[in-house]
Amino acid sequence: MEAGSIIGSHFSLCVPAGCDTGFGNAAAKHLDSLGLDVFATVLDLKGDGARALRRSCSSRLTLLQVDITQPQQVQQALLDTKAKLGLRAGLWGLVNNAGVCVNLGDAELSLMSNFRGCMEVNFFGTVSVTKSFLPLLRQAKGRIVNISSPAGDQPFPCLAAYGASKAALNLFTETLRHELVPWGVKVSTILPSSYKTAPSSNNAYWEQQHQQLLQSLPPALMEEYGEDYITETKDLFQSFAEHANPDLSPVVDAIVHALLSPQPQARYYAGPGIGLMYFIHSYCPLSISNRFLQKLFVKKTLMPRALRKQSGLEANLSLNNNNEEKLQPL
């Protein structure tokens, strides 16, 4: 679809944070190739991702350095965007792509810093950017596209911190979609399946998260869960990430459709299996949907150490009781 068929030749988009790698980087390149004016924000203007965007994109692309958890940097990005837009009528599209997943296990084992870190980026950062850019979007009667996750709607094992932040984002997005109807601004959520994006595909990243968790856990929790249980979770996450889909095009295509279609969808299920997952979650009994997620995602084989000991004691007690019954005199 040609951008000019909807909003003319001066079509400006902002893709905040996360354009260093992954969906944001791929989307910025593709949107630029469509002839759109793209404001792509990165954490590091001198990083590999920023250099790749400069090499592959046109002079229309504007790179901005933004950490969305820092309000002053968000405001500076807004000022820079306004200056670049000049007299043009607002900003057509805002793509909130930034996201982090700093979690390696059960909710009880997840550090409070993980919960706060996920909320700061995935929820509060997105809210901050959206509120800052909304006047420009209302002026253009434009679009907001938020990249979320099925983990925000469904209880994926070992993703409590990440899932909670995405659940907050999903509700914020849905509320915003209703509130902005009178302003002519359309709001969409994109729910990707599993894709290979940095840093999740980096083995060193998982090892760093693992070591941080081992060093931070209270001794009592370490004793009850066991280091082998925690290590297995890390290995399963790492394996899952390694086998993720490297083709990001379904997500990029969903972003483009949400931005350019005259009638964008409220929700996009981007990738194989997502539609089936939501069907099972919505229409099957809870026991079936929970079992489906457990089989699909982190397939644990170990129980926590304390439960293994308990099972061993119960097995021994059962064996002893059976032996005693056999020895009873007739």
Side-chain angles (χ1 to χ4, degrees), residues 1 6 92 94 142-148 170 173-174 176-178 181 185-192 250-271 274-275 278:
M1 180 182 296
I6 299 178
W92 174 259
L94 176 69
R143 308 285 172 84
I144 297 173
V145 182
N146 288 342
I147 313 298
S148 188
N170 288 349
T173 305
E174 289 298 302
L176 203 62
R177 185 166 63 83
H178 291 291
V181 168
V185 176
K186 293 181 171 63
V187 182
S188 298
T189 300
I190 295 179
L191 300 155
V251 178
V252 175
D253 291 344
I255 292 172
V256 172
H257 190 275
L259 289 170
L260 303 186
S261 171
Q263 296 298 326
Q265 300 171 26
R267 283 192 155 200
Y268 291 84
Y269 303 107
I274 295 296
Y278 271 87

Side-chain angles (χ1 to χ4, degrees), residues 146-200:
N146 288 342
I147 313 298
S148 188
S149 168
D153 294 318
Q154 304 179 42
F156 279 76
C158 301
L159 280 182
Y162 179 74
S165 67
K166 289 298 188 178
L169 175 63
N170 288 349
L171 186 58
F172 170 72
T173 305
E174 289 298 302
T175 304
L176 203 62
R177 185 166 63 83
H178 291 291
E179 292 175 349
L180 293 179
V181 168
W183 296 95
V185 176
K186 293 181 171 63
V187 182
S188 298
T189 300
I190 295 179
L191 300 155
S193 59
S194 176
Y195 289 94
K196 188 172 289 188
T197 59
S200 63

Side-chain angles (χ1 to χ4, degrees), residues 103-106 158 200-211 213-214 226-244 297-302:
N103 196 78
L104 280 170
D106 305 51
C158 301
S200 63
S201 58
N202 185 342
N203 289 341
Y205 168 80
W206 293 110
E207 191 58 39
Q208 178 187 11
Q209 295 291 318
H210 179 56
Q211 291 302 321
L213 180 60
L214 292 178
E227 185 173 340
D228 55 349
Y229 177 87
I230 298 167
T231 300
E232 184 193 45
T233 305
K234 184 265 295 184
D235 291 340
L236 288 169
F237 265 80
Q238 190 170 321
S239 175
F240 188 83
E242 287 173 354
H243 291 91
F297 190 52
V298 178
K299 302 171 186 176
K300 295 288 292 181
T301 62
L302 288 175

Side-chain angles (χ1 to χ4, degrees), residues 46-64:
K46 298 179 181 179
D48 293 340
R51 285 197 293 267
L53 286 174
R54 289 192 186 96
R55 285 195 306 268
S56 59
C57 294
S58 71
S59 59
R60 290 186 306 275
L61 182 86
T62 301
L63 282 175
L64 303 171

